[in-house]
Amino acid sequence: MRKTTKEAIFPLKITMTSPVNDEQVINFFGCKIESGKRNTITFAKKDLQVNFISYN
């Protein structure tokens, strides 16, 4: 999302069946990865409405 919009967009929540929570991962995503039954990534609705900078 950040590369395609040139905006500082971070997920609200990430869940994974096998979460990885080292410092580099937390810094990149801006949140800890939680354990869950499936892999998910949740963004704020306002972030999903930001236009991409190109069609590719």
Side-chain angles (χ1 to χ4, degrees), residues 29-44:
F29 287 113
C31 65
K32 286 190 175 183
I33 300 174
E34 300 176 20
S35 181
K37 292 183 179 182
R38 52 189 195 141
N39 299 324
T40 66
I41 186 165
T42 305
F43 291 98

Side-chain angles (χ1 to χ4, degrees), residues 13-35:
K13 181 179 178 182
I14 298 174
T15 61
M16 294 180 70
T17 55
S18 298
V20 176
N21 275 313
D22 72 34
E23 192 172 328
Q24 288 182 329
V25 173
I26 293 168
N27 289 337
F28 179 79
F29 287 113
C31 65
K32 286 190 175 183
I33 300 174
E34 300 176 20
S35 181

Side-chain angles (χ1 to χ4, degrees), residues 1-3 5-11 43 46-47 50:
M1 294 285 294
R2 287 177 237 154
K3 287 188 180 228
T5 63
K6 297 290 185 189
E7 299 285 332
I9 295 175
F10 293 92
F43 291 98
K46 68 175 182 61
D47 291 336
V50 176

